[in-house]
Amino acid sequence: MVKHSYLPLDCLCLRQNRRCDLSGQLLKMPQYQQSRRVSVFLSMKDEIQTHKIMEDLFSSRKDCFIPQYSKAGMKMVRLDSTADYNSLPETRWKIKQPALDDVREDALDTGGLDLILMPGLGFTKRGLRLGRGKGYYDNYLRLCRKKGSNPLTIALAYSVQILDDIPMSESDVPVDHVLFADKSEMRQ
């Protein structure tokens, strides 16, 4: 797996770019509106904030799933409400996540997912994604396909995160759609 730790991200640019409403754009997309089972990442400070999306999932009565990371990998587990979210402990990465002993519905055991919202450090308009180097999402997408599920993937990015190219390895899985600033791109 390619290590991606060398990509510089200018946090000031990210903060300045926060005024774009990607959540609102996503909520209007037919791909989102038609999805019933959606996985949403719980944002780190330098990522597009997903709280509004999570609230919409609950109010629209869609099934909301979030990542649960462990040394063995990642699974997407059910989140039932805002109160459920508020009760989650915070990890050393300063994001909320169900504790490892918190047994929850696993999306792959109960029908798969229609849509996975993808985090990342950088993206290309062609759908290449630079993650944080652990391969959690790439491995999860391969597991989905192995189990007969092929969810649509949409990356949420600040325009400063859109790059001309990103180094890829054989284990990296491109995303289907990159939503950024006031634009979006479908992978060809």
Side-chain angles (χ1 to χ4, degrees):
M1 183 175 310
V2 176
K3 288 289 182 188
H4 304 299
S5 60
Y6 58 85
L7 179 72
L9 283 180
D10 183 339
C11 291
L12 178 61
C13 289
L14 290 175
R15 283 190 205 106
Q16 290 171 348
N17 225 349
R18 285 191 192 273
R19 60 183 165 263
C20 65
D21 182 20
L22 287 183
S23 298
Q25 289 181 50
L26 175 75
L27 300 182
K28 294 175 187 172
M29 292 178 68
Q31 298 94 325
Y32 173 82
Q33 292 175 352
Q34 294 165 6
S35 295
R36 302 302 316 148
R37 295 170 59 87
V38 179
S39 169
V40 61
F41 62 93
L42 300 180
S43 315
M44 296 177 76
K45 288 184 180 183
D46 62 347
E47 295 173 329
I48 297 291
Q49 298 302 295
T50 58
H51 193 77
K52 182 177 175 181
I53 298 165
M54 189 176 57
E55 289 295 331
D56 184 76
L57 290 170
F58 299 138
S59 68
S60 301
R61 296 194 174 139
K62 295 177 186 274
D63 294 334
C64 178
F65 292 86
I66 59 170
Q68 184 181 43
Y69 304 96
S70 70
K71 289 181 182 177
M74 177 180 77
K75 58 185 176 178
M76 298 297 179
V77 296
R78 180 94 179 238
L79 186 68
D80 292 318
S81 65
T82 302
D84 189 14
Y85 168 78
N86 290 333
S87 73
L88 295 175
E90 202 172 78
T91 68
R92 65 184 174 107
W93 295 92
K94 303 293 182 208
I95 55 173
K96 290 179 172 270
Q97 163 180 301
L100 295 179
D101 62 352
D102 183 351
V103 178
R104 292 172 177 260
E105 177 185 338
D106 183 330
L108 285 181
D109 293 340
T110 60
L113 294 163
D114 301 317
L115 172 63
I116 299 177
L117 301 179
M118 304 283 290
L121 296 174
F123 306 90
T124 69
K125 293 178 181 180
R126 297 184 329 271
L128 303 182
R129 184 181 81 86
L130 181 65
R132 295 189 182 267
K134 299 280 188 190
Y136 285 120
Y137 277 87
D138 297 314
N139 291 332
Y140 187 80
L141 290 171
R142 278 193 296 284
L143 182 60
C144 286
R145 291 179 182 138
K146 184 178 177 182
K147 292 193 171 202
S149 177
N150 192 21
L152 178 73
T153 54
I154 298 177
L156 304 177
Y158 296 109
S159 58
V160 70
Q161 291 176 281
I162 304 303
L163 307 170
D164 292 331
D165 198 24
I166 289 176
M168 295 287 288
S169 73
E170 290 180 16
S171 63
D172 292 328
V173 179
V175 297
D176 297 312
H177 194 95
V178 179
L179 186 63
F180 62 98
D182 294 319
K183 303 172 185 161
S184 67
E185 298 288 333
M186 291 296 284
R187 181 167 55 95
Q188 301 299 325

